Amino acid sequence: MVEDIEDLYELSPVQQGMLFQSLYAPQSGVYCVQLSCLLRGDLDIRAFVRSWQQVLARHTILRTAFFWEEISKPLQVVHRRVALPLEEQDWRGLSTIEQATRFEALLESDRTRGFELSMAPLMRLALIRTAEDSHRLLWSFHHLLLDGWSVFLLFKELFAVYDASTRGRRLQFGPVRPFRDYIAWLQQQDLSRAEDFWRASLKGFSVPTSLSLEMNSTAMGAGSSHGEHRFDFSENTTNALRLLARRHQLTLNTLIQGAWALLLSRHSGEHDVVFGVTAAGRPTDLREADTMIGLFINTLPARVQIAGAEPAMSWLRRLQEQQAEQRHYEFTPLTQVQRWREGARGEALFESILVFENYPVDDAVRERSSEQDLQIADMRFHEQTEYPLTVVVAPGKKLTLRLGYDSSRFSRSAIERMAGHLQELLNSILDNPQQLIAGLRLLTADEERQMLYEWNETGRAYGSESLTQLFEAQVERTPEAVAVVFGGEEVSYRELNERANQLAHHLQSLGVGAETLVGILMERSLEMVVSLLAVLKAGGAYVPLDPEYPSARVSFMLADAGVSVVLTQARLLGEVKGGEARVVSVDSEWAVIGGESRENP
């Protein structure tokens, strides 16, 4: 109803992109964000719900829906009042394992349920009682409404209101700046300078960096589905990474971005890679931007060029300078950047994005002292983007990385290997910050052992036959089969063996036998193959000589090796000068050689 509408304004470019993706795949779970946590203590559910309603009443974005049908531009519509959906369940009769299994199923069904984007609020709560003094909270909302920093602000406000309510007090908040002010700020920005910057940044780049990972053949053609792999660095490694960044005046974000760029380079074989990064998007010239609630983040391309001969630290410092310059243009819509790049043909600029969550939600949780009635634990985000691969970095006591991926494209084992490679690169930088980029370690210890040892366990027992005996046995088996093809001429095993035997007998007549070295200076030809076999059949060993070598070098090699006989071709006789070696022109002297026996020596 019209009287229920408080405000109406346009979407940001990021919101427009998310709206399109959500409408395009309504049951894919894309951009349905889920936050789950454990609430320990005596939870007053009625006070908890009232606290939520007070927060919704204060922030317009939480009462916002989206309209797009039969209008030229989509709009966000703020309602005066909304009721937050709440579902309560009691799982106290289930074991811990059963509760965990059922919660994973709930996450999946809730994510694919999605939201009716024209109906506010685009959020809902599920409150599950798991023990007498324990509840599992699932807060689901559409990413159109909030970014991570806003979630952090809302959670602090929510529990401040709840704590006051359960103590019979009422908090007095000052006015909040509505999200529409940010939309107005965006519309005032001049994109001309941004265009110059992005055109220069992407000059010469046109093809998205390939994600050369193991494809998930079992799911091919089954449609898109979502998988996630999560791992934590140890506290010691986390502290070491922070110390390294601080010592070299780097941000932890730069360190992670650098490692990710190197990983993409190693996997793709490219020295010029592009991936997406999220910018906070809260402009410093917009008053109170850091306390506003809404969706401010923007995803933009990060182009990184890797010079293998450069020390890691100097390269990372240059990367950080590049990030600082890009920050001035982080309000630019990705769709515009896409149009400005050279040779834009509608392809995506990147297939992977890296999200650095620089908001201390976990710290806010830990700040709740033991004196408070309600404790928060095990807080987790669950989110799915439209990109094939999303890396989310959450700094905390332990650095956490989540790799969300399209499981219809990539196997879990490939993603787990990639996570291991990222860890190894960071550990390698820690071990030697001045190491050249090309020398940084990628493979895990298990992979290195597999490549160097397991895949090289190729030893086997061979028979006592020599190469010539094996060849002669093949002649017996298939005498008329084609053995050599050169140009338009074919030679059978029988013919090749007979010619080699004739030359071998001739060599023996020249004194060639065991430990005799015979030089072979020939171009690729049938004569060369005959000569190689003949030397071995005569009992000698051959010394290959490249016809492209200068004659002086050939003469030196013959003298240095003590070669007694040289086999060559008539057109190369001029390349063999001086020395004591007997020179035989195989092609021009064949009338003599062909008179020798055709039997095996």
Side-chain angles (χ1 to χ4, degrees), residues 571-586:
R571 58 185 173 277
L572 297 174
L573 282 170
E575 302 300 320
V576 188
K577 299 176 181 178
E580 300 178 359
R582 169 71 184 273
V583 180
V584 178
S585 174
V586 175

Side-chain angles (χ1 to χ4, degrees), residues 95-110:
S95 68
T96 303
I97 295 175
E98 288 173 326
Q99 287 180 359
T101 302
R102 184 175 286 193
F103 189 70
E104 287 301 317
L106 175 62
L107 284 173
E108 177 66 23
S109 63
D110 178 77

Side-chain angles (χ1 to χ4, degrees), residues 152 156 360-370 372 375:
F152 158 67
K156 286 193 71 173
V361 175
D362 288 346
D363 292 345
V365 170
R366 293 190 199 97
E367 286 172 6
R368 295 185 62 80
S369 69
S370 58
Q372 291 172 309
Q375 303 298 304

Side-chain angles (χ1 to χ4, degrees), residues 192-202 322 325-326 329:
S192 58
R193 286 183 58 208
E195 179 177 357
D196 293 339
F197 170 80
W198 288 112
R199 284 190 184 277
S201 296
L202 297 172
Q322 177 184 319
E325 185 180 7
Q326 183 168 314
Y329 308 99

Side-chain angles (χ1 to χ4, degrees), residues 29-35 110 115 138-143 146 151 381-384:
V30 66
Y31 292 120
C32 176
V33 184
Q34 298 165 303
L35 185 150
D110 178 77
F115 291 95
L138 175 59
W139 173 28
S140 304
F141 59 90
H142 200 285
H143 207 345
L146 303 170
V151 171
F381 277 95
H382 313 266
E383 181 185 353
Q384 177 183 342

Side-chain angles (χ1 to χ4, degrees), residues 257 260-261 264 273-277 300-304 350 352-354:
Q257 279 195 29
W260 183 248
L264 289 180
V273 300
V274 171
F275 55 96
V277 292
L300 292 167
R303 183 181 186 181
V304 183
F350 40 81
S352 69
I353 64 170
L354 191 148

Side-chain angles (χ1 to χ4, degrees), residues 545-597:
L545 301 164
D546 192 331
E548 298 296 323
Y549 288 162
S551 57
R553 181 176 181 185
V554 171
S555 299
F556 171 79
M557 292 176 69
L558 293 174
D560 187 61
V563 172
S564 59
V565 178
V566 178
L567 300 179
T568 188
Q569 295 159 308
R571 58 185 173 277
L572 297 174
L573 282 170
E575 302 300 320
V576 188
K577 299 176 181 178
E580 300 178 359
R582 169 71 184 273
V583 180
V584 178
S585 174
V586 175
D587 50 353
S588 62
E589 297 182 38
W590 192 259
V592 175
I593 298 168
E596 298 283 356
S597 170

